[in-house]
Amino acid sequence: MYESHQYLRQFSIKPSVQRSAVMNFLLKNRIHPTIDEIYLALSPSMPTLSKTTVYNTLDLFVERGAVRALAIDERNARYDVDVSAHAHFMCRSCGTVHDIFGLKTQMFQIPETTKLNIDAVEISYFGKCEKCSGN
Amino acid sequence: MYESHQYLRQFSIKPSVQRSAVMNFLLKNRIHPTIDEIYLALSPSMPTLSKTTVYNTLDLFVERGAVRALAIDERNARYDVDVSAHAHFMCRSCGTVHDIFGLKTQMFQIPETTKLNIDAVEISYFGKCEKCSGN
DNA sequence: TCTTGTATTTGTAACAATTACAAAGATACA
DNA sequence: TGTATCTTTGTAATTGTTACAAATACAAGA
């Protein structure tokens, strides 16, 4: 928990019990969780935690650049503490989101368009994961 | 309208008044519209049109490969009749979605991962469009 | 043309994710 | 200790989507 405390400060986020718990969960569970997954994982040990707090907290994390919000899942927002350049894969069957590392850095470069002011890239793959490939 | 009729048949979609109207709208308005935009655009001339029909119709179009559903917009599903390999840009300010053509075809190739059964790629850029760059 | 079975459309209600907002609680510092 | 500010909480409202059953349209055979 102490680590998450420090981690938050790196992004000038004032730590609180809730914020540290959320960041800690993200750092230890690299599963690109949804708000609900985070809430359900933390609420047993923090019974007074509110889902609104989880929403607020992640908004703040994203705003400060500590976390990336993924658009890959149309149903729910998903969050990734790894803000480095990498892609994602989502299984159409079970909905899990996997990291795809090792793509050429070139692919994450921003195309030169004079008109648009691009600040982020997201590369997403869809299909079936190993487990679900039988279905 | 006749064109959309023919167009639908190419994807073995049995045409109906509603389906042709929706496809016609998509072909003539390459703005990656949301369900609501389609519904609002068509309902004046088709007062009995139901939003459920728009949902059903687009589900069918996507299923038959006539249209691509985009994940770029977390708020609403967006649909694109251009199913060729190209990327998209969404303005964080006004929410419009632009096409990004001219990327290397290599970028749309599916990475060789033994485990995953990938069937689609989506490359999305985010930022501010020309109009909103002042804000 | 009528009948009958099937496909499509419609409207409403249910559901789920997110946002708005005001009250309660915690924190920092004079 | 008091006060101002920040954070959290819970509830209600909003919004996009889905489920479902009734109504309508369509197609093919009698």
Side-chain angles (χ1 to χ4, degrees):
Chain A
M1 216 66 155
Y2 183 64
E3 315 107 74
S4 9
H5 226 259
Q6 291 301 89
Y7 196 83
L8 290 174
R9 292 204 185 285
Q10 292 178 11
F11 296 94
S12 8
I13 295 164
K14 201 189 291 180
S16 73
V17 179
Q18 291 82 351
R19 289 172 182 175
S20 295
V22 171
M23 181 51 84
N24 192 53
F25 180 80
L26 290 171
L27 290 170
K28 301 254 164 82
N29 300 275
R30 310 278 183 136
I31 57 171
H32 318 92
T34 63
I35 292 286
D36 234 64
E37 284 170 344
I38 299 169
Y39 174 74
L40 290 174
L42 298 181
S43 58
S45 53
M46 292 185 75
T48 74
L49 180 67
S50 160
K51 203 179 277 188
T52 301
T53 300
V54 183
Y55 275 102
N56 291 341
T57 301
L58 282 150
D59 284 352
L60 178 69
F61 288 1
V62 169
E63 195 187 301
R64 296 290 161 84
V67 157
R68 214 149 63 99
L70 305 181
I72 194 171
D73 184 351
E74 307 197 54
R75 278 199 146 59
N76 322 288
R78 290 181 170 274
Y79 298 91
D80 193 348
V81 266
D82 184 349
V83 294
S84 72
H86 67 285
H88 296 97
F89 165 87
M90 186 165 92
C91 176
R92 295 189 195 280
S93 217
C94 64
T96 56
V97 173
H98 303 241
D99 286 308
I100 305 276
F101 295 113
L103 295 180
K104 299 237 169 73
T105 46
Q106 214 195 15
M107 289 190 55
F108 297 94
Q109 274 166 15
I110 283 157
E112 317 101 22
T113 74
T114 42
K115 314 274 182 185
L116 305 171
N117 210 328
I118 298 174
D119 62 50
V121 192
E122 194 166 330
I123 301 180
S124 309
Y125 298 96
F126 301 88
K128 296 225 176 174
C129 72
E130 196 175 21
K131 279 188 188 170
C132 296
S133 278
N135 309 342
Chain B
M1 215 68 156
Y2 183 64
E3 314 109 74
S4 9
H5 225 258
Q6 291 301 90
Y7 196 84
L8 289 174
R9 291 203 184 285
Q10 291 179 12
F11 297 93
S12 10
I13 296 164
K14 202 188 292 182
S16 73
V17 180
Q18 292 83 350
R19 290 172 181 176
S20 296
V22 171
M23 182 50 86
N24 192 52
F25 180 81
L26 289 171
L27 290 170
K28 300 254 163 82
N29 301 274
R30 309 277 183 137
I31 57 172
H32 318 91
T34 63
I35 292 286
D36 233 64
E37 283 169 344
I38 298 169
Y39 174 73
L40 290 174
L42 298 181
S43 57
S45 55
M46 292 183 78
T48 73
L49 180 67
S50 160
K51 201 177 281 186
T52 302
T53 301
V54 183
Y55 275 102
N56 291 341
T57 301
L58 282 151
D59 284 353
L60 179 69
F61 288 2
V62 169
E63 196 186 299
R64 297 289 160 85
V67 157
R68 212 150 64 100
L70 304 182
I72 194 171
D73 184 351
E74 307 196 54
R75 279 200 144 56
N76 322 290
R78 290 179 169 276
Y79 298 90
D80 193 348
V81 263
D82 183 349
V83 295
S84 73
H86 68 286
H88 295 97
F89 166 87
M90 186 167 91
C91 176
R92 294 188 196 280
S93 220
C94 64
T96 56
V97 173
H98 303 242
D99 285 309
I100 305 275
F101 294 114
L103 295 180
K104 300 236 169 74
T105 46
Q106 211 196 15
M107 288 189 56
F108 297 95
Q109 274 166 15
I110 283 157
E112 318 101 21
T113 73
T114 41
K115 314 272 182 185
L116 306 170
N117 211 327
I118 297 174
D119 62 51
V121 192
E122 195 167 331
I123 300 181
S124 310
Y125 298 97
F126 301 88
K128 295 223 177 176
C129 72
E130 195 174 21
K131 280 189 187 171
C132 295
S133 278
N135 308 342

